[in-house]
Each structure stands twice: as C-alpha cells, then as structure tokens.
C-alpha cells in the first residue's frame, strides 16, 4: 500500500468548528492532505467540550478531527493574524465555517484572499449563503433541517423529527470537499461558498419536486417511505424487526408469491403498480406484518434473500458497534488521542493501493511551536508570541 495518498503535498488550513468544515478537512486529510487546524487559545473548537465520554474528550471532536495538527492562535490579535497569513502563503486550501461576518472582520473574506493570497482555494461554509433575508443568522444542523423542511418529512404525521445524524453539517462538508477536489484537479485557485440551507434543499429534492407538481405534502411514515410500497419495518416473532423493501413491480410480485405465498395479492389489480400499492399501503402493511409476526427474523431474511427481496434488520447503535459485517471486512482501526488509543471506522472510500492515514486526534495547540518553527519563527519569537497571548 502506498503511504502518500492522492492529496500528498496539499496543505489545508482550517478555521473551523463543530462538524461541517471539520468533516470537509478530515475528508481531505483521509486522502493524504496535511490539515493545520487553527483554534482559539481560549478553549479551541467548541466541539471539544460537548461531552467528555472518550476518556475526557468529546465524541463529536474525536469523530471529525483525526490526523490534524492543532495550532492555537488568537486571530483577533495583530500578531496572530500575521501568523495565519504566513501560513496561508504556503497553503493550498483554506476552509472556514466561522459565524457570519467573522472572516471579513479578520481580513480573510473572499475579496481579501483574492488580493493577498490569489493562489488559494478558499472555501467558506455558512448557514444560508449571502444575499438573502436569513444570511445574517447563525445556523446549526437542527435549525437548518427545520428551515429546509427536512423535519416535516421525518418522524410521523403530527410528530416531526430531526433526522438523527447531522446530515446538513455532514453533507455540506462533503460538498465542500468535492469542490476542493474539483479545483485541485483543474489546477486553479477559486472561491467556494457552500451553505447548509442550500445543501438541505438539495437533499429535499424529491419531496420538493413531488409537492410542486402534485400540490400534495406527503406525510412522514417513520421507518417507511411515502414514495414506495411495500417498504417498511415489521416486527418478527422473536421480538426483532425486519425491514423489507421493494422498488419495482417485479419485486412486489416476488414478495407476494415467493415470500408471503400469496399469489392472489400479486394478481390483485389494486396492487399492480407502485401508485396503487402506495394508495393501499395500509392493506399491504397489515398482510406483510401478519406474516412477519409469525416467523423469526432469521427465517424471514432467509426467505427474502431467496426471493431476491431487499431486507435488513433494525439495529440499535449498540448492535452496530458489534456488527459482524464491519468486523468481517476489517473496518475498525485504532486512532491515537490525548486520552489513549480509541477505535475509529475507516473512511467509506476504498482506494486500491492506499491506506488512509488514520492520524491522531490533536490536543489543543499541540503543534503550535512546531508549525511556527516551520514557518521561520525563532524560539525567542515564539516565546514572545506566547507571552503576548497570541499563541498557546
């Protein structure tokens, strides 16, 4: 396996917090980029302090900050700003997701960067994008999921819910990383703006399109989908839950005939098309639910596999930690942290000939002196910066 990675030699400076920008930069780091995370000396990235369950470290922070170098730098000081500009002179990419207006106050707005660091790919992730009535607002994952309508299509009728994973943050970070990769491929600098709201309205593409052209707001169905039937979760005789899914008429007919042993359902005119099955969802769910309730999970899944019907089991988080599929495919690695090694999942892409670095989680300011020395600061200058509070 190669050690350098496809982004070896690329340096990313991160002015980041929480999840969206850290996910972007961790993804770039997973492909071999060097990521220098600039943090406020007074506590650093606030996600460091969400909880202390990982041996005193926060689960959010451990998740999205492996393999980074932490430089604790007061960007509000002239000396701190001088350091970050020296960093940017040598960097290829800048990624930020600070509160609205902060980069402009720091002299790091897109216009500033075009003048002072025209070689940079500069990515700014914010809540709502410029030019709109919400542009000034703080935006967190839940807030944007609610604003974009995502909560209205999650949960149950009259009981909306936030999708569990922070999908606005994560997907915005991945869109940002994709944009960086495209500009690196084109070998040209550029300014990239990604907003959480634009990301979520993109992810809402199906319900927005459906409602625009039908006038109907589909109601959430918990572990089902308003678009397809049968497609949902059914309790089994041994107290487990199986999830069954069909995506076309042929699969439905196989489910009825080969799984349920009910050819008359396959031939019923009401269920001939997906639109008909959606309209009569309650009837189908009752039939499938009754059959599943009389059989154990293993039997249901064995029969479903034999019939070519998509199926899975409903798992809790604890179940997934011990999931045999992850173990069989060797998906877990050990990552060093200030609290000792912890397990972490490999990134999703499997690239032939390349092992992701899976670097350590940095302590706040752990790499400050080393990075400043690399930038040409003498030990006396570093000590003076520390005495002035510009670094930690």
């Amino acid at each position: 396996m190669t050690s350098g990675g496809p982004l070896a030699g690329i340096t990313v400076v991160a002015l980041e917090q929480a999840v969206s920008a850290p996910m972007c930069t961790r993804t770039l780091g997973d492909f071999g980029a060097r990521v220098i995370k600039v943090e406020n000396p007074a506590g650093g990235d606030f996600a460091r302090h969400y909880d202390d369950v990982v041996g005193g470290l926060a689960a959010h922070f451990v998740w999205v900050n492996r393999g980074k170098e932490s430089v604790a730098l007061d960007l509000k000081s002239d000396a701190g700003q001088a350091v970050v500009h020296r960093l940017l002179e040598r960097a290829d990419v800048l990624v930020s997701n600070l509160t609205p207006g902060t980069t402009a106050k720091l002299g790091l707005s897109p216009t500033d960067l075009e003048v002072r660091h025209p070689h940079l790919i500069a990515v700014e992730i914010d809540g709502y994008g410029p030019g709109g009535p919400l542009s000034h607002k703080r935006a967190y994952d839940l807030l944007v999921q609610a604003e974009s309508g995502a909560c209205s299509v999650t949960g149950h009728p009259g009981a909306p819910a936030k999708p569990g994973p922070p999908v606005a943050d994560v997907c915005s970070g991945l869109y940002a990383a994709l944009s960086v990769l495209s500009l690196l491929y084109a070998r040209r600098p550029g300014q990239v703006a990604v907003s959480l709201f634009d990301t979520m309205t993109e992810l809402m593409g199906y319900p927005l399109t459906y409602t625009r052209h039908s006038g109907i707001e589909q109601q959430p169905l918990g572990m089902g989908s308003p678009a397809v039937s049968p497609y949902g979760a059914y309790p089994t005789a041994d107290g487990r839950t199986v999830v069954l899914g069909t995506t076309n008429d042929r699969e439905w007919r196989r489910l009825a005939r080969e799984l349920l042993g009910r050819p008359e359902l396959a031939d019923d005119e009401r269920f001939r098309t997906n639109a008909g099955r959606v309209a009569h969802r309650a009837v189908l769910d009752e039939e499938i639910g009754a059959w599943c309730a009389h059989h154990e999970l293993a039997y249901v899944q064995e029969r479903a596999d034999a019939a070519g019907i998509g199926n899975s089991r409903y798992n809790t988080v604890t179940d997934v930690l011990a999931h045999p599929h992850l173990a069989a495919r060797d998906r877990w690695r050990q990552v060093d942290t200030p609290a000792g090694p912890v397990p972490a999942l490999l990134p999703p892409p499997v690239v032939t000939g390349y092992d992701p670095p899976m670097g350590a989680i940095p302590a706040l300011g752990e790499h400050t002196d080393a990075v400043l020395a690399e930038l040409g600061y003498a030990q006396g200058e570093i000590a003076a910066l520390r005495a002035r509070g510009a670094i930690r």
Side-chain angles (χ1 to χ4, degrees):
M1 293 290 183
T2 58
S3 59
L7 294 184
I10 298 297
T11 297
V12 179
V13 174
L15 308 180
E16 60 181 20
Q17 54 200 7
V19 175
S20 60
M23 176 57 74
C24 170
T25 58
R26 197 208 78 180
T27 300
L28 298 174
D30 286 340
F31 285 111
R34 179 188 186 187
V35 180
I36 300 174
K37 183 182 180 82
V38 176
E39 301 188 69
N40 185 340
D45 182 340
F46 56 71
R48 285 183 177 273
H49 312 291
Y50 280 167
D51 55 59
D52 59 1
V53 300
V54 189
L57 308 175
H60 269 90
F61 191 85
V62 169
W63 168 40
V64 289
N65 285 284
R66 66 168 176 253
K68 300 178 184 180
E69 301 171 46
S70 173
V71 173
L73 193 60
D74 180 7
L75 292 179
K76 294 181 180 179
S77 69
D78 291 340
Q81 290 185 19
V83 173
V84 82
H85 281 294
R86 195 180 295 191
L87 263 177
L88 294 178
E89 288 171 2
R90 301 187 179 198
D92 302 283
V93 182
L94 170 66
V95 178
S96 66
N97 70 329
L98 306 180
T99 54
T102 300
T103 53
K105 293 176 183 177
L106 296 173
L108 297 171
S109 71
T111 302
D112 297 322
L113 294 171
E114 283 181 342
V115 173
R116 189 160 182 177
H117 303 289
H119 67 286
L120 272 180
I121 295 170
V123 181
E124 187 159 353
I125 303 173
D126 67 6
Y128 295 100
L134 302 182
S135 298
H136 66 287
K137 295 178 71 68
R138 288 179 179 264
Y140 305 131
D141 186 86
L142 169 61
L143 307 180
V144 175
Q145 291 208 41
E147 193 76 41
S148 67
C151 296
S152 76
V153 298
T154 309
H156 296 274
K162 171 194 174 296
V167 292
D169 280 335
V170 171
C171 292
S172 294
L174 295 177
Y175 272 120
L178 178 63
S179 301
V180 170
L181 294 175
S182 69
L183 290 174
L184 288 172
Y185 177 79
R187 294 182 173 84
R188 67 178 180 86
Q191 305 288 330
V192 177
V194 177
S195 82
L196 274 64
F197 185 69
D198 290 345
T199 294
M200 283 310 303
T201 51
E202 166 63 20
L203 297 182
M204 285 287 290
Y206 165 71
L208 290 174
T209 302
Y210 186 93
T211 299
R212 176 183 292 278
H213 295 281
S214 70
I216 298 170
E217 290 199 356
Q218 294 172 313
Q219 295 301 298
L221 295 171
M223 286 186 65
S225 166
V228 183
S229 178
Y231 194 83
Y234 306 93
T236 58
D238 52 348
R240 302 301 298 272
T241 299
V242 67
V243 182
L244 300 173
T246 61
T247 59
N248 58 60
D249 299 337
R250 294 185 304 278
E251 289 182 355
W252 152 244
R253 289 192 291 270
R254 290 203 304 272
L255 186 149
R257 291 179 176 135
E258 300 176 32
L259 187 64
L260 302 183
R262 299 287 301 279
E264 74 278 11
L265 292 178
D267 298 331
D268 193 312
E269 186 64 22
R270 292 175 298 171
F271 312 136
R272 184 176 60 83
T273 66
N274 182 63
R277 294 191 294 275
V278 168
H280 297 91
R281 180 191 309 277
V283 176
L284 291 181
D285 282 345
E286 183 176 356
E287 295 284 355
I288 297 169
W291 185 84
C292 290
H294 283 87
H295 301 286
E296 294 187 350
L297 174 68
Y299 176 79
V300 174
Q301 290 198 276
E302 180 182 349
R303 287 282 301 273
D305 284 340
I309 301 301
N311 66 91
S312 69
R313 67 180 189 183
Y314 164 75
N315 285 320
T316 67
V317 175
T318 301
D319 293 330
V320 177
L321 287 173
H323 204 296
H325 196 69
L326 293 174
R329 297 174 62 240
D330 194 25
R331 294 292 297 164
W332 291 99
R333 294 290 185 275
Q334 291 292 308
V335 169
D336 288 331
T337 80
V342 299
L345 284 169
L346 286 164
V350 178
V351 180
T352 302
Y354 175 63
D355 281 331
M358 304 297 285
I361 309 299
L364 176 59
E366 178 181 348
H367 304 91
T368 304
D369 286 19
V371 170
L372 265 64
E374 184 181 337
L375 294 176
Y377 285 88
Q379 288 301 310
E381 292 175 299
I382 294 173
L385 287 171
R386 180 166 288 109
R388 294 159 59 187
I391 65 171
R392 168 173 170 172

